[in-house]
Each structure stands twice: as C-alpha cells, then as structure tokens.
C-alpha cells in the first residue's frame, strides 16, 4: 500500500477465517519501507498540474511494481507464506468530471509482484467499481461497516491520509462513505514547497501548533464547491494540488507556520462539520494524521460532543488500517464477493484484476452467505 501521500510503502499480513457470517481477521505483522527521495520526487512530478510523458509513466509503473514486489517478498519471508497479495498500486490519477468518476490510474505493475513472490496478485481495485457507475472510492466503507458500524453507537470512521475520508451510517442505517477533503495533502505541499523539499510534512504538528490560524484564508479555503456537494463523492490530489493552494493563498502574506496552522484547521473544521452533520457519538480515526498531535487536538476541539478515538482501540494500528482494508478486499474478491457498497461508492462491485502466481489461478466457490461482521483477533 502506498497512499496519496506516497510517504512510504506499508505491508500487512493477515489471516482470515469465515465461520457462518462472522469473518475474523488475525493480524500477523506489519512492515513499512520508505520511498527514496528520488522516487517520491518522480511520483510528485507526474501528478497534476504537472505534465509528464508516457515513457516516465512506464518507468514508474515498472519501478513501483518491482518495489512492491520486494516489499511483498519481505513480508512473506518475515511473516510466512500467503495465498494472495493485494496491491492497490500508486494512484496517479483519479478522473472525476461533474462529480462522476470516469476512470482511475494506479501504477505498480502486478506482474513484478507475482514474479517476486510466486503468489497470485489482486491489483487495480478501483476500475471495476467505476465501470459499474461507482466512484471507485473510497474503499474503506467495507471494512468500516463490518468492523465498526455494527454496534448501537452512532459512530463515524475517519482516515486521515493525503485525503480525509469518512464512513458513517445514515438514519436509515445505510452505509455512507465519502472523501471529506484534504487531510495532509495541502499541508505536505505547503511544507515541501516552502522548504524546497527539505521537509515534507509538518512533523508532529509542530508548525501548526506554533502558527496562528488566518481566518480570512480559512474562509476562502472553506469556500469550495466540493464540500457542499452531497455524498457519494470522491476527490483527490487532482483537485487539491499546488495550483489550488497557490490560487487560494493568492498574494496573502503569511508565514509557513501560519499557513500550515490554517490548513490544519481546515481539515479539523471539515471533520467537525461532519461530526455534527451525522450527529456522531464517536469518531474512530486512523491514518498518518493520527501522528499529528495538533491536528488531533483541533479535531477533538471542533468535534464538539463527539468522542474522538483511534483505530488502535479496535485492534488496528492507525497507520496499517488501509493495509488491513486491502487484505479484506482481497479476501472478498478471492471468494467472489463484492468489495464496495452501493450506498457508499455508488456501486456494489467485485473488485480487482487477478494475476496468477507460479501456478494456474484456482479460485474457491463463493461461501453460501457473505460476512456481516468482522472481528479482529489479537
Ligand atoms: N509524525 C507525523 N507528524 C505529522 N504528520 C504526520 C506524521 N506521520 C505521518 N504524518 C502525515 O501523514 C501522512 C501519511 O499518512 P498516510 O496514512 O500514510 O497517508 P496516505 O495513505 O495518503 O499515504 C504524511 O504525508 C504526513 O502528512
Ligand atoms: Mg502512506
């Protein structure tokens, strides 16, 4: 897994067991590997608003595929053999027009992973959902709804990656999942731009903590049509890019700490609005943003009466939740079960493309009933 922040590659190994309609997941281990500065810069250089050429896309597809293969092989060597590797790939473009997803592109050719591990690979997890009229994102609602939204508590599940996404149930108990807007995307951009790439994030939220929120800029940032459209909806760095940030900041004169403080407040404000919109009693947070104490403090402040917790309380390390999500989607696809929920992405879809491993691909028959609940086992 390498998310929209492309801060590193995370891998998790999990064992699933379906008994009746109860699916259990035993986490077997995690590992993370950083991406070289060179590769990070090259990924950044193919993202909008930059232009690229097809040769560089081919090179990145290959190099990322090889790297994902190395990380997968390392995870297998460390934690034992697996039946399936799930590799969602590096998202470089999510094509949204007039609120509809029309296409999506993830790099990291699966063949390299299959060769490196001899194991079947599930990749390209989003396109099928789009082909069925869905948004192709967010994918988190399947895990969130099975694991966290079955209790009587009015709970929301928030992941703070480059983009913040939320899963909730509405009054009719339907699962709703959508992207709120930027979490660290604009913060990372502001920091790398101002420091010439020497710093790439607001480490431990130090800058935001020192900075003073600029309310005029905050208002301008909040004045974004995307925030006013109803879910299902998805967004990405195609919208919240460097040009977007420049246009919002304009010739407004403010220091980096104040800018980062204001961008952190933007995310907290979006989360706070969502807490009141869905009248949440609890919010369960995961993703790299959990490691930003200033962001977490501002979220807690703007969440009002909503109690803010992290996914660790539910047996999932905050930085690994997306990995376990991918593992779950792999399990579902392996058994011929849909990985998306119509009320969340807009479609209910079988996900992904399978690449055979060393042997011909043999998929099992679907179980009589799909899982209705996920239990994490320690
Ligand atoms: N110690 C930290 N302090 C502040 N922010 C952090 C810290 N660690 C991670 N982050 C933020 O989290 C982001 C990565 O989160 P992650 O969940 O991996 O997102 P993605 O899925 O987009 O890769 C980083 O880009 C950074 O902005
Ligand atoms: Mg990441």
């Amino acid at each position: 897994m390498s998310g929209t922040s492309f801060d590193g590659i995370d891998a998790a190994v999990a064992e699933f067991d379906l008994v009746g309609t109860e699916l259990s997941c035993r986490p077997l281990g995690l590992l993370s590997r950083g991406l070289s500065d060179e590769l990070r810069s090259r990924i950044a250089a193919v993202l909008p608003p930059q232009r690229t050429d097809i040769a560089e896309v081919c090179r990145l597809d290959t190099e990322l595929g090889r790297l994902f293969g190395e990380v997968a092989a390392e995870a297998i060597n460390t934690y034992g053999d697996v039946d399936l590797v799930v590799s969602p790939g590096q998202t470089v473009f999510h094509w949204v027009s007039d609120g509809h997803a029309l296409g999506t592109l993830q790099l990291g050719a699966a063949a390299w992973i299959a060769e490196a591990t001899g194991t079947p690979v599930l990749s390209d997890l989003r396109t099928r959902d789009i082909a069925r009229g869905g948004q192709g994102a967010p994918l988190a609602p399947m895990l969130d709804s099975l694991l966290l939204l079955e209790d009587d508590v009015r709970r929301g599940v928030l992941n703070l990656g480059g983009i913040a996404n939320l899963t909730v149930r509405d009054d009719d108990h339907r699962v709703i999942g959508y992207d709120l807007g930027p979490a660290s995307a604009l913060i990372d951009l502001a920091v790398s731009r101002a420091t010439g790439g020497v710093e790439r994030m607001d480490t431990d939220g130090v800058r935001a903590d020192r900075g003073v929120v600029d309310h005029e800029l905050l208002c301008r940032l909040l004045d974004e049509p995307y925030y006013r459209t109803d879910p299902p909806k998805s967004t990405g760095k195609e919208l919240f890019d460097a040009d977007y940030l420049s246009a919002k900041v304009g010739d407004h004169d403010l220091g980096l700490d104040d800018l980062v403080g204001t961008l952190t407040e933007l995310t907290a404000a979006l989360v706070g609005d969502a807490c009141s919109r869905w009248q949440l009693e609890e919010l369960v947070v995961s993703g790299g943003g959990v490691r930003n104490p200033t962001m977490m403090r501002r979220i807690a402040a703007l969440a009002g009466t909503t109690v803010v917790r992290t996914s660790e309380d539910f047996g999932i390390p905050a930085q690994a939740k997306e990995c376990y999500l991918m593992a779950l989607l792999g399990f579902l696809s392996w058994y011929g079960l849909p990985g998306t929920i119509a009320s969340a992405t807009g479609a209910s879809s079988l996900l992904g493309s399978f690449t055979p491993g060393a042997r011909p691909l043999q998929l099992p028959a679907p179980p009589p009933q799909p899982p209705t609940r996920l239990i994490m086992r320690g």
Side-chain angles (χ1 to χ4, degrees):
M1 176 79 217
S2 172
T4 49
S5 307
F6 46 95
D7 52 316
I9 302 171
D10 302 315
V13 181
E15 186 168 67
F16 289 91
D17 191 19
L18 180 64
V19 178
T21 58
E22 188 179 285
L23 181 63
S24 68
C25 171
R26 187 182 299 279
L28 298 178
L30 290 177
L31 57 90
S32 293
R33 187 190 278 190
L35 286 175
S36 68
D37 284 348
E38 191 248 358
L39 201 52
R40 290 187 61 151
S41 307
R42 284 173 53 204
I43 297 169
V46 302
L47 298 183
Q50 273 78 232
R51 305 214 153 249
T52 185
D53 66 274
I54 202 72
E56 177 62 357
V57 172
C58 176
R59 284 190 291 263
L60 275 178
D61 191 37
T62 304
E63 285 172 48
L64 283 167
R66 294 176 76 137
L67 255 179
F68 292 151
E70 281 171 29
V71 175
E74 196 182 329
I76 289 169
N77 284 336
T78 313
Y79 300 111
D81 210 5
V82 299
D83 301 298
L84 177 68
V85 176
V86 185
S87 178
Q90 179 67 56
T91 295
V92 287
F93 197 73
H94 196 67
W95 179 19
V96 179
S97 176
D98 284 338
H100 296 284
L102 300 178
T104 187
L105 183 64
Q106 285 78 36
L107 302 184
W112 292 97
I113 309 169
E115 266 313 299
T117 60
T119 305
V121 179
L122 185 76
S123 61
D124 187 19
L125 278 93
R126 300 181 188 277
T127 305
R128 188 68 176 273
D129 186 77
I130 294 176
R132 285 178 69 83
Q135 293 281 334
L139 296 176
M142 183 56 84
L143 175 74
D144 295 343
S145 63
L146 291 176
L147 179 68
L148 295 163
L149 299 180
E150 281 303 312
D151 305 345
D152 290 333
V153 183
R154 261 191 99 92
R155 203 173 268 150
V157 189
L158 175 72
N159 192 71
L160 296 172
I163 300 292
N165 64 60
L166 180 74
T167 313
V168 294
R169 282 194 188 272
D170 67 8
D171 289 335
D172 302 324
H173 215 61
R174 289 186 322 154
V175 177
I176 308 290
Y178 60 102
D179 291 331
L180 288 180
S184 63
L186 296 179
I187 299 172
D188 290 356
L189 263 176
V191 173
S192 349
R193 197 157 66 176
T195 64
V198 174
E199 294 171 44
R200 294 189 187 264
M201 62 167 87
D202 178 23
T203 307
D204 300 336
V206 170
R207 289 187 180 278
D209 189 41
R210 274 198 307 249
V212 176
V213 175
D214 183 316
H215 287 277
E216 195 191 317
L217 176 60
L218 180 62
C219 281
R220 225 181 298 156
L221 286 161
L222 284 167
D223 183 22
E224 162 53 55
Y226 177 79
Y227 306 145
R228 294 191 290 271
T229 35
D230 283 324
K233 59 177 177 175
S234 62
T235 188
K237 287 187 157 177
E238 301 73 28
L239 174 60
F240 299 106
D241 66 5
D243 284 352
Y244 183 92
L245 185 61
S246 305
K248 287 289 181 185
V249 175
D251 48 19
H252 210 66
D253 183 26
L254 82 172
L256 177 59
D257 291 355
D258 296 346
L259 174 58
V260 171
T262 307
L263 293 170
T264 305
E265 192 73 7
L266 166 69
T267 303
L270 295 174
V271 174
D273 281 353
C275 289
S276 63
R277 169 175 183 171
W278 301 106
Q279 298 172 337
L280 301 179
E281 293 168 64
E282 266 186 28
L283 183 70
V284 182
V285 191
S286 61
V290 169
R291 285 182 271 173
N292 180 333
T294 311
M295 181 171 288
M296 291 302 282
R297 182 164 46 76
R298 292 309 300 152
I299 286 175
L302 298 182
T305 56
T306 308
V307 176
V308 178
R309 308 175 67 179
T310 70
S311 64
E312 320 256 344
D313 296 346
F314 298 86
I316 303 200
Q319 88 279 8
K321 177 160 172 273
E322 300 270 282
C323 286
Y324 289 116
L325 162 66
M326 293 307 158
L328 169 68
L329 297 179
F331 174 89
L332 294 172
S333 292
W334 187 255
Y335 282 97
L337 299 168
T340 49
I341 302 172
S343 56
T345 59
S348 168
S349 176
L350 257 177
L351 299 180
S353 304
F354 281 107
T355 301
R359 288 180 296 280
L361 199 57
Q362 269 191 309
L363 299 182
Q369 290 162 301
T372 55
R373 175 135 217 173
L374 176 69
I375 310 283
M376 296 299 292
R377 305 218 180 272

